[in-house]
């Protein structure tokens, strides 16, 4: 099958999984946000960093090594599987033991039981990581879609039922747990691979040497991505943390799904053409501009319509989260650039450089938090925007060396897209603030989206942006084979 046909098919199913799964999750979260209180979401946000640490240790880079190693066999898969299950069990036991100390840290006694139940998912995640890696390795994204969406539906239904029955924060806990259990059952049902029980020490060392640096970098990334939740949860209140987590999750809905879907397909594709650096640069460049073209208007138009959006979706009690959401959307504009530049290091097996860059960025984050925490929650938010800009310069450093695509050229490529995005979002904000503010929220949203997207696509046509025709080809599945 031609590369573009494989990529197109992969993107269709991956987007179906990402958006289907996340839209279901978002709908469930929306319903729960109308029933539950912000502080109950804040309690879950308090343990997010500890959940992230557990998952980060499990995601040691071994699964990525399997995807990358074209000569890996069943012995490799079984070896990694056994290690993952063993590690998942040990990590859960550790978390179970330290749960009371985490609860004491936040002065929230209920967190002890919440953590112990919520983190059972570690074991199920460990037992499916190799299966998912094999699906991705073979670019079989259809099965991933057929397992993820039913799990999200079943877990979501339980969460809503428990919330209506008055179970509070436990609605969120058991919804997530059931999602994980159903996903585990379906993945094992549809996967043609079954572990043989073989553990090969030599093969483990081979994958470990490649993966542990990526795993450590991923662990650091997960910790520091959730570090703000720890700081806000410790020094502010569960209510304020609930507002922040709601703003962050709403921003991440379009951002992480588009980026993750493209990355899932692009990584094995990049690996396949890594020896042809000229071709890799061309494909890398086009995909980078495509993801920015799709993500940026969604983020900024949503930010411009923050007030009617949050009031319509989550009710009036969540409106204080709007300023947080708007600032976080600004910082999110550069995140796809971070991800794509770092992916090159993984493609060429330079996990040492990946880890080095992560250490540099984490030092910057810790230093900035100590400096700006006296300025309160808004200091932390604007600090994230500034750090995102600095981190992009750090992440793009090695792209010049690998495919001769320097930061300056990247900025020239994406700057026109950002420009028409800002113009379109500014038009939406101006109209909503001065002309449509007295209308109902749903009408304001409909008018704003029409104005924003209409202006964006009109400017794209006038400016002859190639991404518009490429997006049309992708949607209509008419990309020609090469």
């Amino acid at each position: 099958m031609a590369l573009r046909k494989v990529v197109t098919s992969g993107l269709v199913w991956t987007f179906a999984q990402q958006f289907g799964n996340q839209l279901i999750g978002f709908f469930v979260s929306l319903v729960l946000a109308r029933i539950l209180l912000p502080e109950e979401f804040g309690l879950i946000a308090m343990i997010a960093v500890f959940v992230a640490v557990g998952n980060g240790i499990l995601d040691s880079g071994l699964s990525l090594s399997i995807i990358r190693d074209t000569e890996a066999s069943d012995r490799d898969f079984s070896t990694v599987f056994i290690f993952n299950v063993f590690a998942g069990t040990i990590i859960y036991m550790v978390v179970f033991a330290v749960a009371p100390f985490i609860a004491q840290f936040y002065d929230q006694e209920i967190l002890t039981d919440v953590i112990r139940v919520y983190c059972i998912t570690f074991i199920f995640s460990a037992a499916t990581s190799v299966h998912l890696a094999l699906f991705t390795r073979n670019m079989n994204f259809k099965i991933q879609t057929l397992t993820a969406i039913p799990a999200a539906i079943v877990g979501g239904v339980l969460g809503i039922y428990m919330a209506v029955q008055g179970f509070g924060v436990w609605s969120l806990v058991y919804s997530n747990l059931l999602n994980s259990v159903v996903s585990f059952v379906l993945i094992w049902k549809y996967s043609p691979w079954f572990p043989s029980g073989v553990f090969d020490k030599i093969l483990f060392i081979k994958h470990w040497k490649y993966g542990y640096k990526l795993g450590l970098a991923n662990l650091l990334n997960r910790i520091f991505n959730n570090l703000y939740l720890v700081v806000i949860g410790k020094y502010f209140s569960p209510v304020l943390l609930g507002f922040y987590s709601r703003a962050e999750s709403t921003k991440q809905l379009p951002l992480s799904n588009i980026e993750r879907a493209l990355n899932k397909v692009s990584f094995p594709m990049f690996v396949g053409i890594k020896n042809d650096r000229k071709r890799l640069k061309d494909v890398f460049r086009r995909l980078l501009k495509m993801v920015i073209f799709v993500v940026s208007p969604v983020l900024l138009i949503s930010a411009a319509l923050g007030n009617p959006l949050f009031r319509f979706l989550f009710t009036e009690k969540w409106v204080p989260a709007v300023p947080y959401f708007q600032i976080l959307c600004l910082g999110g504009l550069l995140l796809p650039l971070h991800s794509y530049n770092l992916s090159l290091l993984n493609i060429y097996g330079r996990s040492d450089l990946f880890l080095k860059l992560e250490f540099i960025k984490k030092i910057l984050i810790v230093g900035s938090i100590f400096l700006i925490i006296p300025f309160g929650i808004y200091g932390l938010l604007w600090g994230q925007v500034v750090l995102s800009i600095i981190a992009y310069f750090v992440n793009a450093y090695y792209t010049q060396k690998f495919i001769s695509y320097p930061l300056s050229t990247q900025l020239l490529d994406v700057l026109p897209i950002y420009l028409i995005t800002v113009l379109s979002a500014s038009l939406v904000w101006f109209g909503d603030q001065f002309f449509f503010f007295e209308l109902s929220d749903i009408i304001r949203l409909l008018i704003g989206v029409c104005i924003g997207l209409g202006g964006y696509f009109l400017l794209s046509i006038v400016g002859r942006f190639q991404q518009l025709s490429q997006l049309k080809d992708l949607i209509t599945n008419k990309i020609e084979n090469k």
Side-chain angles (χ1 to χ4, degrees), residues 101-288:
F101 300 101
I102 298 173
Q104 186 179 4
F105 173 79
Y106 286 116
D107 194 25
Q108 297 288 335
E109 185 178 350
I110 192 175
L111 287 183
T112 298
D113 292 332
V114 167
I115 293 169
R116 287 174 171 174
V117 176
Y118 197 97
C119 292
I120 295 174
T121 57
F122 290 164
I123 299 174
F124 294 105
S125 297
T128 55
S129 59
V130 171
H131 297 76
L132 292 174
L134 291 177
F135 289 147
T136 301
R137 185 173 187 259
N138 299 322
M139 300 197 76
N140 189 348
F141 303 106
K142 179 179 179 180
I143 292 181
Q144 294 189 51
T145 304
L146 297 177
T147 58
I149 291 180
I153 293 174
V154 174
V157 169
L158 177 66
I160 293 173
Y161 172 78
M162 291 186 67
V164 171
Q165 295 300 314
F167 283 91
V169 69
W170 291 105
S171 309
L172 303 170
V173 175
Y174 282 104
S175 175
N176 182 70
L177 179 58
L178 184 60
N179 187 327
S180 183
V181 172
V182 174
S183 179
F184 165 81
V185 172
L186 293 177
I187 288 171
W188 276 69
K189 177 182 177 180
Y190 287 111
S191 174
W193 179 79
F194 191 85
S196 63
V198 174
F199 184 86
D200 190 313
K201 183 178 179 180
I202 295 175
L203 291 177
F204 172 74
I205 293 173
K206 180 185 74 170
H207 293 294
W208 177 260
K209 285 182 177 179
Y210 171 80
Y212 86 91
K213 294 174 185 175
L214 291 179
L216 184 55
N218 181 45
L219 178 60
L220 286 172
N221 201 39
R222 288 172 180 264
I223 292 173
F224 284 89
N225 282 346
N226 291 278
L227 187 59
Y228 291 95
L229 296 177
V230 177
V231 173
I232 296 171
K234 177 64 176 176
Y235 293 100
F236 299 95
S237 66
V239 176
L240 197 61
L241 181 56
F243 290 143
Y244 174 84
S245 64
R246 173 60 51 193
E248 174 67 17
S249 63
T250 306
K251 178 211 73 175
Q252 285 295 113
L253 180 65
L255 181 62
S256 63
N257 284 287
I258 295 172
E259 179 189 357
R260 198 177 302 162
L262 286 170
N263 285 345
K264 186 179 290 186
V265 176
S266 63
F267 183 78
M269 178 186 64
F270 287 158
V271 169
I273 59 175
K274 66 180 180 181
N275 294 325
D276 186 348
R277 301 206 176 199
K278 183 177 180 181
R279 187 184 183 195
L280 176 58
K281 177 183 176 180
D282 178 64
V283 175
F284 181 93
R285 190 174 188 178
R286 284 188 283 122
L287 282 178
L288 181 66

Side-chain angles (χ1 to χ4, degrees), residues 406-425:
L407 183 144
S408 57
T409 305
Q410 291 184 39
L411 290 176
L412 288 175
D413 281 343
V414 300
L415 189 60
I417 299 175
Y418 284 139
L419 179 60
I420 64 172
T421 301
V422 171
L423 289 174
S424 303

